[in-house]
Amino acid sequence: SPYAELWVGTHPNGMSVLPGKNNMSLKDYVRSNPQLHCGLSTETDVSFLFKVLSINKTLSIQAHPDKKRAERLHAANPSAYKDPNHKPEMAIALSDDFEAMCGFRSLQDIASSAQKHPEFVTMIGVENAKRLIKTASSSHTPEQSRDMLQTMYHHYMSLPDEIISVHLQSLLGRLNSLGYIVDSTDELVLRLSHQHPGDSGIFSPYFFNHMKLREGDAFFIGANEPHAYISGEILECMACSDNVVRAGLTPKLKDIPTLVEMLTYKTGQPDVTTGISLDKFTKLYHPPVPDFAIEVMDIPPSQVYNMGKVNAPSVILCLNGSGVVEQGIVKSINIGFGVAAFVSANTEAKLYSGESGVRIARAMTNVHL
């Protein structure tokens, strides 16, 4: 059966188990000997959550709270916010068709959409649109930009559904009309309208940057930054949390007051990286947070590769090919597509690639800061 997500980690919403240990949970296994499994740190759990996502339909527009806000949200509403942790994350494209929305467009780009689409003017407010066009066409400070964006986005998110519905139908009618010339942002609006009919989030491409990444490209998403994954297959690694504040393109809970308050309202796309080469087979992706880092190893056929030890727990996941991971005389496991394994801190292992080679991703606590 096809699946949209694979989780590897110790979060209670998707706990990994160890078949060789009578399906013992990974959390219980780590806590059975935290000094052995976590190294010299005082941690008693895995600090990250590792995922593979296969995105066929645009996921919800969302943001993740910082640590202090996560603690407050969890204490006030634990049924919606499952844990008190923050959730910075990194996405690494596994296919050439990965698309996402992330971060606010420039005021100039948003103003251009307002001048083109009267329905979008209603979404952000007529007076706000006038101020936007004036601000965008002159010199302005980052503080003025943030204030403008928050005012417009709050207006949009606060509109009654019936008003949004009327103007959405008007917009889509024009975009679909014979002879109307659409740009790439309009095309994304039309795609979203087919995937999420009637959803207020269909206007989102006029607010947010549309990113297209190829295999091996990656970007980091910090706390309180709006984003949505549109299509493609990715590795995703994050702090061990499942806290999500949603804004649209979803039937799930939308916490509008929290969302409007928490966003940074920065403009611009996140930096795209292709990783750092550690050697001729391994690339490192390390974000500016201590919770996680990712290595991707592409080992040619019939090779022996020394997988270096790190003073932190890690998990490995086979993305393609086959091989054997050997920890001296202690342990040996066969790996193939989709097989995951936990690696205790300071564990040295050899990776023997099969006749078609093997591709492995390893997530770990970020020891590279």
Side-chain angles (χ1 to χ4, degrees), residues 73-233:
L73 292 173
H74 177 66
N77 189 359
S79 62
Y81 302 103
K82 306 292 186 181
D83 58 74
N85 202 12
H86 66 167
K87 194 186 176 188
E89 62 190 33
M90 176 170 268
I92 304 173
L94 294 176
S95 59
D96 287 337
D97 61 346
F98 176 43
E99 296 181 55
M101 288 184 283
C102 190
F104 282 92
R105 301 165 76 202
S106 69
L107 292 189
Q108 291 84 355
D109 287 341
I110 297 175
S112 177
S113 293
Q115 291 172 311
K116 184 179 179 182
H117 300 300
E119 298 87 357
F120 184 55
V121 169
T122 302
M123 295 300 100
I124 63 178
V126 174
E127 293 304 315
N128 292 334
K130 292 178 181 177
R131 186 159 68 95
L132 166 66
I133 293 169
K134 182 178 179 180
T135 303
S137 62
S138 60
S139 178
H140 54 271
T141 66
E143 290 75 20
Q144 289 172 318
S145 174
R146 284 193 289 269
D147 177 69
M148 185 78 256
L149 288 169
Q150 184 170 22
T151 300
M152 293 188 300
Y153 199 64
H154 181 262
H155 187 278
Y156 163 60
M157 296 301 295
S158 302
L159 284 173
D161 289 342
E162 54 269 23
I163 292 179
I164 293 176
S165 178
V166 168
H167 291 277
L168 180 58
Q169 290 178 31
S170 173
L171 172 69
L172 296 177
R174 191 173 65 262
L175 296 184
N176 282 306
S177 63
L178 185 64
Y180 186 86
I181 300 174
V182 297
D183 60 23
S184 59
T185 305
D186 298 330
E187 289 174 349
L188 181 54
V189 166
L190 289 172
R191 285 170 62 187
L192 298 183
S193 73
H194 293 300
Q195 294 178 355
H196 298 273
D199 194 288
S200 62
I202 294 168
F203 280 98
S204 293
Y206 298 132
F207 283 105
F208 302 128
N209 297 295
H210 181 196
M211 303 178 64
K212 296 182 179 182
L213 282 74
R214 299 181 64 82
E215 182 178 357
D217 291 344
F219 66 94
F220 172 73
I221 304 170
N224 306 319
E225 295 293 349
H227 60 281
Y229 297 144
I230 298 170
S231 66
E233 297 183 346

Side-chain angles (χ1 to χ4, degrees), residues 325-332 347-350 352:
V325 178
E326 186 178 273
Q327 184 191 353
I329 61 172
V330 178
K331 186 76 173 180
S332 177
T347 298
E348 292 187 86
K350 290 186 182 296
Y352 297 84

Side-chain angles (χ1 to χ4, degrees), residues 27-92:
K27 182 185 284 286
D28 287 343
Y29 180 70
V30 171
R31 289 183 172 176
S32 69
N33 193 336
Q35 186 173 5
L36 171 66
H37 298 310
C38 295
L40 298 178
S41 74
T42 58
E43 295 295 325
T44 60
D45 197 1
V46 175
S47 63
F48 56 86
L49 179 58
F50 201 25
K51 298 183 183 181
V52 179
L53 272 59
S54 182
I55 307 150
N56 186 47
K57 178 181 177 180
T58 304
L59 305 182
S60 63
I61 302 158
Q62 57 187 250
H64 307 300
D66 57 46
K67 186 76 167 88
K68 290 183 178 179
R69 188 181 300 275
E71 291 170 351
R72 294 197 303 269
L73 292 173
H74 177 66
N77 189 359
S79 62
Y81 302 103
K82 306 292 186 181
D83 58 74
N85 202 12
H86 66 167
K87 194 186 176 188
E89 62 190 33
M90 176 170 268
I92 304 173

